[in-house]
Amino acid sequence: MELKSLRLIAALLDYPSCDIWDYPNELIGIVKHCEELSIDQKKILVKFINKILALDLMDAQSNYVDLFDRGRSLSLLLFEHVHGESRDRGQAMIDLMSQYEEVGLHLSGGELPDYLPRYLEYVSQLRTEDAKEGLQNIAPILALITERLKQRDSYYFDLFEILMALSEENVDFDALYQQVSSEDEDYTPEALDAAWEEEQVRFLGEEGCNSALQQQHQRRFVNNVSPQYLNISDINGVQQ
């Protein structure tokens, strides 16, 4: 049985675009057919969809960039949380690309394979047990992001909580709470200024899907502050 919810969550975790905003009823319709979700989880997903689609697209894009693209503690690039910029990350990327090719998943130009929405799209095409294993492989990363989102009171927390539930991985959230509570904030203006020199941002005249915010989001592949690495002993499940 294909886990339809993973493909849906992948779309909702991607950079907000017209493709999502133009089809609200279709998104909610998909939720109804996610047999792997409980009734409460379905309600949470529908609530998330209604909440985010109630926002203006530009506001949703701005919120997304502020949350996921400022600092690496909430980065959606999985290997940033494990390898940072080390050489090991390159081989891990190659290995992951090979897995994508096996299921016929192709990336758009310039997109990195460890981008969480794309990884979830890949996992959604696997058999149920393999899909759960795929989630368990990244559970330490998901758990950290889940707790960080919770402490920042972000509505994206709901999506990660569902991912953790689907992974069926046991996590000590009390320990995670203590760890995250003691972390330095890497998304403040002061932290960002300390990490890189100020760069000039060119704001394009067009808005919507080709807005300056999208260009800002794409810079995630070029610059970011130093990652706050995983402080979980067992991360061997993540592709090395």
Side-chain angles (χ1 to χ4, degrees):
M1 179 181 68
E2 180 182 357
L3 299 184
K4 295 183 176 65
S5 58
L6 293 183
R7 187 179 292 270
L8 175 59
I9 292 175
L12 295 175
L13 274 178
D14 211 341
Y15 180 77
S17 69
C18 298
D19 292 338
I20 294 295
W21 258 246
D22 290 344
Y23 301 100
N25 293 331
E26 286 80 355
L27 293 175
I28 294 176
I30 293 173
V31 175
K32 298 178 181 178
H33 292 91
C34 294
E35 299 177 5
E36 67 274 14
L37 298 182
S38 67
I39 293 177
D40 287 341
Q41 288 172 329
K42 290 180 180 180
K43 289 180 179 178
I44 289 172
L45 265 184
V46 170
K47 182 179 178 180
F48 177 90
I49 292 170
N50 288 331
K51 182 178 182 65
I52 195 172
L53 294 186
L55 299 173
D56 177 80
L57 177 57
M58 285 291 291
D59 289 337
Q61 291 172 337
S62 178
N63 292 344
Y64 186 95
V65 168
D66 286 342
L67 188 65
F68 294 117
D69 292 351
R70 300 192 191 282
R72 284 184 175 176
S73 60
L74 292 178
S75 175
L76 298 183
L77 296 174
L78 296 170
F79 292 147
E80 283 190 356
H81 298 277
V82 181
H83 302 298
E85 300 302 328
S86 72
R87 293 181 180 179
D88 292 338
R89 185 177 181 183
Q91 185 59 52
M93 294 281 198
I94 294 173
D95 294 342
L96 193 54
M97 281 292 295
S98 297
Q99 295 180 44
Y100 289 176
E101 291 172 359
E102 290 178 1
V103 299
L105 177 61
H106 303 287
L107 305 182
S108 59
E111 191 170 60
L112 298 179
D114 64 336
Y115 183 45
L116 178 57
R118 218 54 61 229
Y119 180 81
L120 293 177
E121 185 179 346
Y122 155 70
V123 171
S124 74
Q125 299 181 45
L126 305 178
R127 296 178 303 175
T128 300
E129 291 305 313
D130 292 334
K132 288 182 180 179
E133 182 179 357
L135 289 177
Q136 290 168 356
N137 287 344
I138 62 169
I141 301 171
L142 294 178
L144 271 175
I145 296 177
T146 301
E147 182 59 36
R148 287 166 178 163
L149 288 170
K150 182 178 182 180
Q151 293 196 23
R152 290 180 63 173
D153 196 26
S154 170
Y155 49 82
Y156 277 96
F157 163 79
D158 291 333
L159 299 184
F160 280 83
E161 189 175 42
I162 291 175
L163 289 177
M164 285 302 302
L166 290 174
S167 76
E168 299 182 355
E169 186 76 357
N170 293 322
V171 174
D172 186 348
F173 277 102
D174 289 336
L176 274 178
Y177 172 80
Q178 296 299 326
Q179 176 184 332
V180 173
S181 297
S182 64
E183 291 176 341
D184 293 331
E185 295 178 346
D186 69 345
Y187 53 87
T188 63
E190 293 78 13
L192 294 170
D193 287 343
W196 70 72
E197 294 181 354
E198 181 110 12
E199 64 174 326
Q200 183 178 3
V201 179
R202 289 195 315 168
F203 286 91
L204 306 182
E206 295 180 328
E207 294 187 352
C209 292
N210 294 318
S211 68
L213 281 168
Q214 185 171 7
Q215 303 302 316
Q216 186 174 358
H217 167 68
Q218 291 170 346
R219 289 203 307 279
R220 70 196 321 226
F221 302 124
V222 182
N223 291 316
N224 242 323
V225 301
S226 298
Q228 299 189 40
Y229 294 107
L230 281 171
N231 187 22
I232 295 180
S233 58
D234 184 11
I235 58 173
N236 294 327
V238 180
Q239 291 293 323
Q240 300 293 323

